[in-house]
Amino acid sequence: MSRPIVCIVGRPNVGKSTLFNKFAGRRIAITEDTPGVTRDRIYAEAEWLGQYFTIIDTGGLEPENEDIVMSNIRKQADIAIDTADVILFVVDGIDGLTTTDREIGDLLRRSGKNVVLAANKIDTRKTPDEIYEFYELGLGEPMIISSEQSLGLGDLLDELVKYFPEEKDTEANEDTIRVAFIGRPNAGKSSLINHILGEERVIVTDIPGTTRDSIDSHFTVGENDYVFVDTAGLRRKRYISEKVERYSVVRTLTAIDRSDICVVIIDGTMGPTEQDTKIAGYAHDNGKAIILAVNKWDIVDKNDKTYLKFEKDLRETFGFLNYAPILFISAKTGQRVDKLLETINMVNNNYNMRISTGVFNDILNQAVLINQPPSDKGKRAKIYYGTQVSVRPPRFVIFVNSKDLMHFSYVRYLENQIRNHFGFMGTPIKFELREKGE
Ligand code: GDP
Ligand code: GDP
């Protein structure tokens, strides 16, 4: 599922971060200790009337030092223009229109993007005369809000939601395999994408229409349709600022959200970095299928044991990803790039795999016979039965007598038993325990 993206833009001190915090739901920790990020949260999931979306506070991307304001704001506006489905442009309703506001307004208007203008800090019900100045921006009527007092926020959200793309636009085809290539700058993502798309048997299709589509690469190999998510910048390398880690983090997170399978590209000459593990962790937590690809294998100094050692290191570094296949590739020579596509297909099948309730319960029963569920103070955990409730990723509900008695290590044991039978290579599996009657 791909969530719509709202970016908040505006000069410093207009109340962007206050507004962001009102909208933001679940905390997304990945941005916390990202270098250069000045606020602890710039990226969050939000919800309004059952519509889920991602909200990004572009003001958190750079320190908002008055001297460098305009160049920073220009970068922030660029990111918003490039990433957002709708841009929320915040101005200070008490200060009135400033030169910086005009410059931002120009950038946004010229981009042709959907923009919602909000005049903040109007804490009283009376609308000040300064409001009328904002019509000059040519962005329509400003929404009147107070972030601090939570005034007008419902109407503002209603307005934003109007610009969200229709579900059918983003999920064009259920059978399409949506892949994101993630990894640090220079790992070889562009080279790999260009290598795959440049192959003769790959039929690249340009699907005109939504803005979202134009940033993705659509193509077909044989009977399979693929989308490589958010590759426009990578294909053309127009994104110089992509080289700057903090921007690539935001792009990467949105690409992960919009994909089913994440291929983590690790630079084989450097080994995995902390950023790689964080990003892979985010993909894992969000239930995405994952493949680890070690690139630049052509120039890695190696003997016949190098890959074993590398594999061992990766298994240690990515301990939580014991299900992810590891491949050693070269985007430059094309070594095992075919194999990568095969692996993507295989992982996609696993991500969509359904196990019948009968077979699943046979395995549960067998697992229980081999290794009894834990007990506490004379009371033993009991498994009644289980069933798979969904795919992408596979999710199982297991009915038990007491959730408290089912230690997580036992659930892990059950997962291993299921993986022993079905593999589920490349995909996380989710378990939910329920007590009878729940
Ligand atoms: P940012 O730099 O745009 O992210 O702005 P902040 O969210 O950090 O807010 C800047 C200042 O404006 C802070 O002191 C906030 O408390 C204040 N502020 C934000 N929203 C409102 C509002 O709706 N009304 C009033 N009176 N002050 C606000
Ligand atoms: P990106 O920033 O992740 O998109 O990385 P690029 O695709 O731009 O690659 C960064 C640099 O690594 C470029 O100079 C590429 O030519 C080089 N490169 C990428 N993949 C390989 C590879 O498999 N082998 C070698 N030797 N160089 C590579």
Side-chain angles (χ1 to χ4, degrees), residues 127-375:
T127 307
D129 291 342
E130 283 77 15
I131 284 301
Y132 300 103
E133 297 172 5
F134 295 114
Y135 282 90
E136 278 178 45
L137 292 169
L139 292 166
E141 187 181 353
M143 308 283 302
I144 291 172
I145 63 166
S146 162
S147 306
E148 228 161 55
Q149 307 295 323
S150 296
L151 296 175
L153 303 190
D155 288 346
L156 177 60
L157 283 160
D158 282 343
E159 192 61 23
L160 292 169
V161 166
K162 283 185 197 160
Y163 293 103
F164 289 177
E166 297 277 321
E167 201 56 44
K168 63 178 160 35
D169 287 344
T170 49
E171 303 279 296
N173 182 353
E174 265 284 296
D175 298 330
T176 302
I177 305 177
R178 301 180 63 86
V179 184
F181 290 93
I182 57 183
R184 44 183 308 287
N186 272 319
K189 299 180 295 297
S190 317
S191 308
L192 181 63
I193 288 157
N194 287 324
H195 186 96
I196 294 172
L197 298 182
E199 279 190 20
E200 283 165 33
R201 64 204 182 85
V202 173
I203 303 163
V204 180
T205 42
D206 277 323
I207 300 181
T210 67
T211 35
R212 282 299 193 75
D213 282 328
S214 62
I215 66 170
D216 299 334
S217 302
H218 297 251
F219 67 98
T220 305
V221 182
E223 297 192 332
N224 292 326
D225 291 328
Y226 301 82
V227 171
F228 285 175
V229 172
D230 194 12
T231 46
L234 290 171
R235 279 172 78 185
R236 281 178 271 120
K237 271 278 167 191
R238 103 191 118 87
Y239 250 81
I240 306 304
S241 60
E242 185 100 53
K243 296 287 175 199
V244 184
E245 196 97 356
R246 50 186 170 273
Y247 294 121
S248 67
V249 169
V250 173
R251 294 188 65 99
T252 302
L253 296 180
T254 49
I256 293 171
D257 285 344
R258 300 180 49 231
S259 67
D260 295 320
I261 301 177
C262 296
V263 181
V264 184
I265 311 285
I266 295 148
D267 186 332
T269 63
M270 301 189 46
T273 63
E274 202 187 326
Q275 195 65 26
D276 291 331
T277 48
K278 277 194 189 171
I279 280 172
Y282 179 80
H284 169 81
D285 290 344
N286 283 276
K288 305 299 177 179
I290 298 174
I291 296 168
L292 300 174
V294 180
N295 189 35
K296 306 195 187 180
W297 201 240
D298 56 304
I299 49 167
V300 171
D301 198 13
K302 55 187 172 294
N303 59 38
D304 57 346
K305 296 208 178 57
T306 312
Y307 89 93
L308 283 174
K309 187 183 171 305
F310 218 109
E311 198 166 287
K312 189 164 165 285
D313 285 352
L314 286 183
R315 288 288 173 224
E316 269 165 32
T317 313
F318 295 96
F320 55 96
L321 289 183
N322 51 9
Y323 56 81
I326 298 176
L327 270 81
F328 298 88
I329 63 168
S330 166
K332 191 167 180 186
T333 67
Q335 189 185 20
R336 279 186 289 272
V337 171
D338 271 356
K339 174 93 180 164
L340 176 61
L341 271 187
E342 279 169 31
T343 307
I344 287 172
N345 293 339
M346 180 268 285
V347 166
N348 185 56
N349 288 338
N350 292 339
Y351 197 56
N352 287 288
M353 180 151 59
R354 273 185 200 279
I355 312 265
S356 78
T357 300
V359 172
F360 181 58
N361 283 284
D362 285 348
I363 291 166
L364 285 182
N365 289 337
Q366 211 179 326
V368 167
L369 283 179
I370 302 170
N371 181 4
Q372 281 203 27
S375 63

